[in-house]
Amino acid sequence: MITAHYEIDASDVEKAAMALAVGQSVGNPDIRALRDSDELLARHQARVIDIEGGRVTVEFPGTNFGESDGIAHIMAVLLGGQVDIDHIEGCRLVDVDFGDEAGRFSGPRYGIEGIRQLTGAIDRPLIGGIVKPKLGLSPRELADVCREMADGGVDFIKEDEVLGDPPWCPLADRVPAVVTALDGMPTIYAPCVTGDALDAVRRATLAYELGASAIHVNVWSGFGTFRAIREQVELPLFFQKSGDRVWTTGHFAMSEVVLYKIVRLMGCDMAHVGMWGGYLNESISALEVKLGVMRGSWIGLNTLLPSFSCGAHPGLVRDLGERFGNDIMISSGGAIHGHPMGTTAGARAFRQAIDPVGTTPELDVALELWGGIGSPR
Ligand SMILES: O=C(O)[C@H](O)COP(=O)(O)O
Ligand SMILES: [Mg+2]
């Protein structure tokens, strides 16, 4: 059984809730068919079990889900046809208990602990480096950028989400170039393989064969694609959220709790969580809710490492760690490559913000440029 919690906007919430339950299980929300026997309805019709104001809880019988019905099918049931009913003016999927149906999903292969083991970053926030310029680099230049970031001490590198498989920097050429450049270094490298399911899985497999040590996929690939890669490619998987607000805001949407539950269920090991400070300045409470979903104990699954980015700079590092704990990654592109002393210095400044040893000229320059340590709010 799957239990879904909704916030419904309708003049008649009871009618809306019934329309949702019936329409998303047995049939037309208004008209019963001749074959709608009592027995069939008892077995398959979703049940409205609670209504409090606009908050509605609906149970979907487990028998409605076959073993190979993945997240696409489940979401079509939980957040599908109700958007096509006029008298339901808004419907937000606030939370989901996937019940026994969660058992078909494997969750993160590595989790936070696994990522720590792979990188050797055991007891501190991790630092991620994002390749920038996002576009326009040749494989050789991209490899140089990655090497410079690794020299500066980043634990993880991802290509930015707008890098696909262009002819001037194809995946097949750039992955070996970067792998060679990072040879012997502990840094994890995640090429971006965002694409339609077929292409994303093919590209992830190719990246694995060419020696990549992680995989980066944007939300637009679709949740099932993350799961397919998780099952077929034995590498840490990074979820990049840009685009998520299309699904989490508006009259018909899922909450971020649901989003990150799905991301964890699909088997991602690291996920872009948002940012505190920077050009995406989310509230502490909203971030803590997401962190709870990613790092809290949940149905026996491995945890998911939250990656803060979108305007991160060294002046924010200490506060991020103090506020949200060690089990985070802080990822940056702009403030690494925009450091006046260059990319390696930019990466080093982030590391110095975590573990300052001796003099810290790179950090000092960064703090001068982007602001000193101090809470964003
Ligand atoms: O993909 C990301 O996380 C963003 O592009 C962040 O990049 P920035 O550090 O340049 O803001
Ligand atoms: Mg980006």
Side-chain angles (χ1 to χ4, degrees), residues 130 132 134 158 160-161 240 242 272 279 309-312 331-335:
I130 305 164
K132 294 197 178 174
K134 302 175 176 199
K158 70 182 174 88
D160 211 353
E161 72 279 1
Q240 212 275 351
S242 300
H272 183 194
Y279 53 77
S309 69
C310 286
S331 298
S332 165

mmCIF file with all atom_site columns, all heavy atoms in Angstrom, residues 130 132 134 158 160-161 240 242 272 279 309-312 331-335, ligand 1:
data_model
loop_
_atom_site.group_PDB
_atom_site.id
_atom_site.type_symbol
_atom_site.label_atom_id
_atom_site.label_alt_id
_atom_site.label_comp_id
_atom_site.label_asym_id
_atom_site.label_entity_id
_atom_site.label_seq_id
_atom_site.pdbx_PDB_ins_code
_atom_site.Cartn_x
_atom_site.Cartn_y
_atom_site.Cartn_z
_atom_site.occupancy
_atom_site.B_iso_or_equiv
_atom_site.pdbx_formal_charge
_atom_site.auth_seq_id
_atom_site.auth_comp_id
_atom_site.auth_asym_id
_atom_site.auth_atom_id
_atom_site.pdbx_PDB_model_num
ATOM   1   N N   . ILE A 1 130 ? 33.124 22.402 -9.940  1.00 0.00 ? 130 ILE A N   1
ATOM   2   C CA  . ILE A 1 130 ? 32.294 22.310 -11.150 1.00 0.00 ? 130 ILE A CA  1
ATOM   3   C C   . ILE A 1 130 ? 33.086 22.893 -12.309 1.00 0.00 ? 130 ILE A C   1
ATOM   4   O O   . ILE A 1 130 ? 33.678 23.979 -12.178 1.00 0.00 ? 130 ILE A O   1
ATOM   5   C CB  . ILE A 1 130 ? 30.982 23.100 -10.960 1.00 0.00 ? 130 ILE A CB  1
ATOM   6   C CG1 . ILE A 1 130 ? 30.237 22.617 -9.705  1.00 0.00 ? 130 ILE A CG1 1
ATOM   7   C CG2 . ILE A 1 130 ? 30.095 22.970 -12.204 1.00 0.00 ? 130 ILE A CG2 1
ATOM   8   C CD1 . ILE A 1 130 ? 29.158 23.568 -9.224  1.00 0.00 ? 130 ILE A CD1 1
ATOM   9   N N   . LYS A 1 132 ? 33.976 24.983 -15.226 1.00 0.00 ? 132 LYS A N   1
ATOM   10  C CA  . LYS A 1 132 ? 33.543 26.198 -15.913 1.00 0.00 ? 132 LYS A CA  1
ATOM   11  C C   . LYS A 1 132 ? 34.757 26.802 -16.588 1.00 0.00 ? 132 LYS A C   1
ATOM   12  O O   . LYS A 1 132 ? 35.846 26.694 -16.037 1.00 0.00 ? 132 LYS A O   1
ATOM   13  C CB  . LYS A 1 132 ? 32.880 27.168 -14.940 1.00 0.00 ? 132 LYS A CB  1
ATOM   14  C CG  . LYS A 1 132 ? 31.577 26.575 -14.404 1.00 0.00 ? 132 LYS A CG  1
ATOM   15  C CD  . LYS A 1 132 ? 30.635 27.546 -13.775 1.00 0.00 ? 132 LYS A CD  1
ATOM   16  C CE  . LYS A 1 132 ? 29.369 26.796 -13.346 1.00 0.00 ? 132 LYS A CE  1
ATOM   17  N NZ  . LYS A 1 132 ? 28.407 27.581 -12.591 1.00 0.00 ? 132 LYS A NZ  1
ATOM   18  N N   . LYS A 1 134 ? 31.288 26.487 -18.700 1.00 0.00 ? 134 LYS A N   1
ATOM   19  C CA  . LYS A 1 134 ? 30.444 25.310 -18.851 1.00 0.00 ? 134 LYS A CA  1
ATOM   20  C C   . LYS A 1 134 ? 30.625 24.685 -20.224 1.00 0.00 ? 134 LYS A C   1
ATOM   21  O O   . LYS A 1 134 ? 30.631 23.475 -20.369 1.00 0.00 ? 134 LYS A O   1
ATOM   22  C CB  . LYS A 1 134 ? 28.971 25.713 -18.721 1.00 0.00 ? 134 LYS A CB  1
ATOM   23  C CG  . LYS A 1 134 ? 28.607 26.388 -17.426 1.00 0.00 ? 134 LYS A CG  1
ATOM   24  C CD  . LYS A 1 134 ? 27.154 26.847 -17.468 1.00 0.00 ? 134 LYS A CD  1
ATOM   25  C CE  . LYS A 1 134 ? 26.753 27.432 -16.136 1.00 0.00 ? 134 LYS A CE  1
ATOM   26  N NZ  . LYS A 1 134 ? 25.320 27.494 -15.941 1.00 0.00 ? 134 LYS A NZ  1
ATOM   27  N N   . LYS A 1 158 ? 32.412 17.724 -10.985 1.00 0.00 ? 158 LYS A N   1
ATOM   28  C CA  . LYS A 1 158 ? 31.349 17.411 -11.945 1.00 0.00 ? 158 LYS A CA  1
ATOM   29  C C   . LYS A 1 158 ? 31.385 18.410 -13.092 1.00 0.00 ? 158 LYS A C   1
ATOM   30  O O   . LYS A 1 158 ? 31.660 19.592 -12.895 1.00 0.00 ? 158 LYS A O   1
ATOM   31  C CB  . LYS A 1 158 ? 29.969 17.380 -11.282 1.00 0.00 ? 158 LYS A CB  1
ATOM   32  C CG  . LYS A 1 158 ? 29.415 18.722 -10.823 1.00 0.00 ? 158 LYS A CG  1
ATOM   33  C CD  . LYS A 1 158 ? 28.061 18.516 -10.148 1.00 0.00 ? 158 LYS A CD  1
ATOM   34  C CE  . LYS A 1 158 ? 27.518 19.783 -9.534  1.00 0.00 ? 158 LYS A CE  1
ATOM   35  N NZ  . LYS A 1 158 ? 26.717 20.607 -10.438 1.00 0.00 ? 158 LYS A NZ  1
ATOM   36  N N   . ASP A 1 160 ? 29.413 20.635 -15.644 1.00 0.00 ? 160 ASP A N   1
ATOM   37  C CA  . ASP A 1 160 ? 28.154 21.332 -15.388 1.00 0.00 ? 160 ASP A CA  1
ATOM   38  C C   . ASP A 1 160 ? 27.021 20.678 -16.192 1.00 0.00 ? 160 ASP A C   1
ATOM   39  O O   . ASP A 1 160 ? 27.254 20.000 -17.187 1.00 0.00 ? 160 ASP A O   1
ATOM   40  C CB  . ASP A 1 160 ? 28.284 22.818 -15.725 1.00 0.00 ? 160 ASP A CB  1
ATOM   41  C CG  . ASP A 1 160 ? 27.389 23.653 -14.816 1.00 0.00 ? 160 ASP A CG  1
ATOM   42  O OD1 . ASP A 1 160 ? 26.603 23.076 -14.045 1.00 0.00 ? 160 ASP A OD1 1
ATOM   43  O OD2 . ASP A 1 160 ? 27.475 24.892 -14.876 1.00 0.00 ? 160 ASP A OD2 1
ATOM   44  N N   . GLU A 1 161 ? 25.781 20.928 -15.722 1.00 0.00 ? 161 GLU A N   1
ATOM   45  C CA  . GLU A 1 161 ? 24.653 20.167 -16.277 1.00 0.00 ? 161 GLU A CA  1
ATOM   46  C C   . GLU A 1 161 ? 24.297 20.549 -17.713 1.00 0.00 ? 161 GLU A C   1
ATOM   47  O O   . GLU A 1 161 ? 23.525 19.839 -18.357 1.00 0.00 ? 161 GLU A O   1
ATOM   48  C CB  . GLU A 1 161 ? 23.427 20.312 -15.373 1.00 0.00 ? 161 GLU A CB  1
ATOM   49  C CG  . GLU A 1 161 ? 22.738 21.667 -15.387 1.00 0.00 ? 161 GLU A CG  1
ATOM   50  C CD  . GLU A 1 161 ? 23.432 22.701 -14.506 1.00 0.00 ? 161 GLU A CD  1
ATOM   51  O OE1 . GLU A 1 161 ? 24.465 22.391 -13.895 1.00 0.00 ? 161 GLU A OE1 1
ATOM   52  O OE2 . GLU A 1 161 ? 22.922 23.839 -14.445 1.00 0.00 ? 161 GLU A OE2 1
ATOM   53  N N   . GLN A 1 240 ? 21.420 16.268 -10.003 1.00 0.00 ? 240 GLN A N   1
ATOM   54  C CA  . GLN A 1 240 ? 21.519 17.722 -10.137 1.00 0.00 ? 240 GLN A CA  1
ATOM   55  C C   . GLN A 1 240 ? 20.109 18.273 -10.287 1.00 0.00 ? 240 GLN A C   1
ATOM   56  O O   . GLN A 1 240 ? 19.349 17.858 -11.146 1.00 0.00 ? 240 GLN A O   1
ATOM   57  C CB  . GLN A 1 240 ? 22.384 18.056 -11.359 1.00 0.00 ? 240 GLN A CB  1
ATOM   58  C CG  . GLN A 1 240 ? 23.174 19.339 -11.214 1.00 0.00 ? 240 GLN A CG  1
ATOM   59  C CD  . GLN A 1 240 ? 22.383 20.573 -11.609 1.00 0.00 ? 240 GLN A CD  1
ATOM   60  O OE1 . GLN A 1 240 ? 21.303 20.461 -12.155 1.00 0.00 ? 240 GLN A OE1 1
ATOM   61  N NE2 . GLN A 1 240 ? 22.905 21.745 -11.308 1.00 0.00 ? 240 GLN A NE2 1
ATOM   62  N N   . SER A 1 242 ? 18.730 21.365 -10.897 1.00 0.00 ? 242 SER A N   1
ATOM   63  C CA  . SER A 1 242 ? 18.300 22.552 -11.643 1.00 0.00 ? 242 SER A CA  1
ATOM   64  C C   . SER A 1 242 ? 17.165 22.212 -12.613 1.00 0.00 ? 242 SER A C   1
ATOM   65  O O   . SER A 1 242 ? 17.336 21.397 -13.522 1.00 0.00 ? 242 SER A O   1
ATOM   66  C CB  . SER A 1 242 ? 19.487 23.153 -12.389 1.00 0.00 ? 242 SER A CB  1
ATOM   67  O OG  . SER A 1 242 ? 20.487 23.514 -11.450 1.00 0.00 ? 242 SER A OG  1
ATOM   68  N N   . HIS A 1 272 ? 22.375 17.659 -5.353  1.00 0.00 ? 272 HIS A N   1
ATOM   69  C CA  . HIS A 1 272 ? 22.344 19.111 -5.237  1.00 0.00 ? 272 HIS A CA  1
ATOM   70  C C   . HIS A 1 272 ? 21.135 19.461 -4.365  1.00 0.00 ? 272 HIS A C   1
ATOM   71  O O   . HIS A 1 272 ? 20.001 19.179 -4.738  1.00 0.00 ? 272 HIS A O   1
ATOM   72  C CB  . HIS A 1 272 ? 22.186 19.665 -6.658  1.00 0.00 ? 272 HIS A CB  1
ATOM   73  C CG  . HIS A 1 272 ? 22.201 21.141 -6.774  1.00 0.00 ? 272 HIS A CG  1
ATOM   74  N ND1 . HIS A 1 272 ? 21.797 21.786 -7.925  1.00 0.00 ? 272 HIS A ND1 1
ATOM   75  C CD2 . HIS A 1 272 ? 22.581 22.105 -5.918  1.00 0.00 ? 272 HIS A CD2 1
ATOM   76  C CE1 . HIS A 1 272 ? 21.927 23.088 -7.768  1.00 0.00 ? 272 HIS A CE1 1
ATOM   77  N NE2 . HIS A 1 272 ? 22.398 23.301 -6.548  1.00 0.00 ? 272 HIS A NE2 1
ATOM   78  N N   . TYR A 1 279 ? 23.714 32.924 -4.668  1.00 0.00 ? 279 TYR A N   1
ATOM   79  C CA  . TYR A 1 279 ? 22.616 33.533 -5.418  1.00 0.00 ? 279 TYR A CA  1
ATOM   80  C C   . TYR A 1 279 ? 21.331 32.733 -5.305  1.00 0.00 ? 279 TYR A C   1
ATOM   81  O O   . TYR A 1 279 ? 20.319 33.074 -5.898  1.00 0.00 ? 279 TYR A O   1
ATOM   82  C CB  . TYR A 1 279 ? 22.984 33.796 -6.879  1.00 0.00 ? 279 TYR A CB  1
ATOM   83  C CG  . TYR A 1 279 ? 23.522 32.630 -7.680  1.00 0.00 ? 279 TYR A CG  1
ATOM   84  C CD1 . TYR A 1 279 ? 22.686 31.634 -8.165  1.00 0.00 ? 279 TYR A CD1 1
ATOM   85  C CD2 . TYR A 1 279 ? 24.878 32.541 -7.971  1.00 0.00 ? 279 TYR A CD2 1
ATOM   86  C CE1 . TYR A 1 279 ? 23.181 30.575 -8.907  1.00 0.00 ? 279 TYR A CE1 1
ATOM   87  C CE2 . TYR A 1 279 ? 25.389 31.488 -8.715  1.00 0.00 ? 279 TYR A CE2 1
ATOM   88  C CZ  . TYR A 1 279 ? 24.530 30.509 -9.175  1.00 0.00 ? 279 TYR A CZ  1
ATOM   89  O OH  . TYR A 1 279 ? 25.022 29.462 -9.906  1.00 0.00 ? 279 TYR A OH  1
ATOM   90  N N   . SER A 1 309 ? 25.307 24.263 -3.563  1.00 0.00 ? 309 SER A N   1
ATOM   91  C CA  . SER A 1 309 ? 25.936 25.081 -4.599  1.00 0.00 ? 309 SER A CA  1
ATOM   92  C C   . SER A 1 309 ? 24.939 26.079 -5.148  1.00 0.00 ? 309 SER A C   1
ATOM   93  O O   . SER A 1 309 ? 23.740 25.964 -4.914  1.00 0.00 ? 309 SER A O   1
ATOM   94  C CB  . SER A 1 309 ? 26.488 24.218 -5.741  1.00 0.00 ? 309 SER A CB  1
ATOM   95  O OG  . SER A 1 309 ? 25.441 23.642 -6.471  1.00 0.00 ? 309 SER A OG  1
ATOM   96  N N   . CYS A 1 310 ? 25.439 26.999 -5.902  1.00 0.00 ? 310 CYS A N   1
ATOM   97  C CA  . CYS A 1 310 ? 24.758 28.132 -6.533  1.00 0.00 ? 310 CYS A CA  1
ATOM   98  C C   . CYS A 1 310 ? 25.263 29.393 -5.852  1.00 0.00 ? 310 CYS A C   1
ATOM   99  O O   . CYS A 1 310 ? 24.600 29.977 -4.992  1.00 0.00 ? 310 CYS A O   1
ATOM   100 C CB  . CYS A 1 310 ? 23.230 28.065 -6.487  1.00 0.00 ? 310 CYS A CB  1
ATOM   101 S SG  . CYS A 1 310 ? 22.568 26.839 -7.633  1.00 0.00 ? 310 CYS A SG  1
ATOM   102 N N   . GLY A 1 311 ? 26.474 29.743 -6.219  1.00 0.00 ? 311 GLY A N   1
ATOM   103 C CA  . GLY A 1 311 ? 27.075 30.938 -5.648  1.00 0.00 ? 311 GLY A CA  1
ATOM   104 C C   . GLY A 1 311 ? 27.890 30.665 -4.400  1.00 0.00 ? 311 GLY A C   1
ATOM   105 O O   . GLY A 1 311 ? 28.148 31.594 -3.611  1.00 0.00 ? 311 GLY A O   1
ATOM   106 N N   . ALA A 1 312 ? 28.315 29.413 -4.205  1.00 0.00 ? 312 ALA A N   1
ATOM   107 C CA  . ALA A 1 312 ? 29.168 29.116 -3.035  1.00 0.00 ? 312 ALA A CA  1
ATOM   108 C C   . ALA A 1 312 ? 30.510 29.830 -3.201  1.00 0.00 ? 312 ALA A C   1
ATOM   109 O O   . ALA A 1 312 ? 31.008 29.982 -4.317  1.00 0.00 ? 312 ALA A O   1
ATOM   110 C CB  . ALA A 1 312 ? 29.397 27.611 -2.924  1.00 0.00 ? 312 ALA A CB  1
ATOM   111 N N   . SER A 1 331 ? 29.917 22.739 -3.261  1.00 0.00 ? 331 SER A N   1
ATOM   112 C CA  . SER A 1 331 ? 30.392 22.666 -4.646  1.00 0.00 ? 331 SER A CA  1
ATOM   113 C C   . SER A 1 331 ? 30.401 24.044 -5.277  1.00 0.00 ? 331 SER A C   1
ATOM   114 O O   . SER A 1 331 ? 29.486 24.841 -5.061  1.00 0.00 ? 331 SER A O   1
ATOM   115 C CB  . SER A 1 331 ? 29.500 21.735 -5.470  1.00 0.00 ? 331 SER A CB  1
ATOM   116 O OG  . SER A 1 331 ? 29.543 20.423 -4.959  1.00 0.00 ? 331 SER A OG  1
ATOM   117 N N   . SER A 1 332 ? 31.412 24.283 -6.067  1.00 0.00 ? 332 SER A N   1
ATOM   118 C CA  . SER A 1 332 ? 31.552 25.608 -6.674  1.00 0.00 ? 332 SER A CA  1
ATOM   119 C C   . SER A 1 332 ? 32.174 25.526 -8.062  1.00 0.00 ? 332 SER A C   1
ATOM   120 O O   . SER A 1 332 ? 33.022 24.675 -8.337  1.00 0.00 ? 332 SER A O   1
ATOM   121 C CB  . SER A 1 332 ? 32.432 26.473 -5.766  1.00 0.00 ? 332 SER A CB  1
ATOM   122 O OG  . SER A 1 332 ? 32.874 27.634 -6.461  1.00 0.00 ? 332 SER A OG  1
ATOM   123 N N   . GLY A 1 333 ? 31.727 26.445 -8.886  1.00 0.00 ? 333 GLY A N   1
ATOM   124 C CA  . GLY A 1 333 ? 32.366 26.647 -10.180 1.00 0.00 ? 333 GLY A CA  1
ATOM   125 C C   . GLY A 1 333 ? 32.929 28.057 -10.240 1.00 0.00 ? 333 GLY A C   1
ATOM   126 O O   . GLY A 1 333 ? 34.133 28.278 -10.261 1.00 0.00 ? 333 GLY A O   1
ATOM   127 N N   . GLY A 1 334 ? 32.004 29.027 -10.196 1.00 0.00 ? 334 GLY A N   1
ATOM   128 C CA  . GLY A 1 334 ? 32.384 30.428 -10.362 1.00 0.00 ? 334 GLY A CA  1
ATOM   129 C C   . GLY A 1 334 ? 33.487 30.882 -9.420  1.00 0.00 ? 334 GLY A C   1
ATOM   130 O O   . GLY A 1 334 ? 34.468 31.505 -9.852  1.00 0.00 ? 334 GLY A O   1
ATOM   131 N N   . ALA A 1 335 ? 33.352 30.581 -8.142  1.00 0.00 ? 335 ALA A N   1
ATOM   132 C CA  . ALA A 1 335 ? 34.313 31.093 -7.169  1.00 0.00 ? 335 ALA A CA  1
ATOM   133 C C   . ALA A 1 335 ? 35.626 30.314 -7.173  1.00 0.00 ? 335 ALA A C   1
ATOM   134 O O   . ALA A 1 335 ? 36.611 30.754 -6.581  1.00 0.00 ? 335 ALA A O   1
ATOM   135 C CB  . ALA A 1 335 ? 33.701 31.083 -5.761  1.00 0.00 ? 335 ALA A CB  1
HETATM 136 O O1  . LIG B 2 .   ? 25.653 23.306 -11.100 1.00 0.00 ? 1   LIG B O1  1
HETATM 137 C C1  . LIG B 2 .   ? 25.797 24.052 -10.142 1.00 0.00 ? 1   LIG B C1  1
HETATM 138 O O2  . LIG B 2 .   ? 25.781 23.637 -8.987  1.00 0.00 ? 1   LIG B O2  1
HETATM 139 C C2  . LIG B 2 .   ? 25.927 25.529 -10.418 1.00 0.00 ? 1   LIG B C2  1
HETATM 140 O O3  . LIG B 2 .   ? 26.255 25.729 -11.744 1.00 0.00 ? 1   LIG B O3  1
HETATM 141 C C3  . LIG B 2 .   ? 26.806 26.215 -9.433  1.00 0.00 ? 1   LIG B C3  1
HETATM 142 O O4  . LIG B 2 .   ? 27.817 26.959 -9.996  1.00 0.00 ? 1   LIG B O4  1
HETATM 143 P P1  . LIG B 2 .   ? 28.515 28.234 -9.323  1.00 0.00 ? 1   LIG B P1  1
HETATM 144 O O5  . LIG B 2 .   ? 29.402 27.768 -8.244  1.00 0.00 ? 1   LIG B O5  1
HETATM 145 O O6  . LIG B 2 .   ? 29.266 28.875 -10.450 1.00 0.00 ? 1   LIG B O6  1
HETATM 146 O O7  . LIG B 2 .   ? 27.440 29.127 -8.801  1.00 0.00 ? 1   LIG B O7  1
#
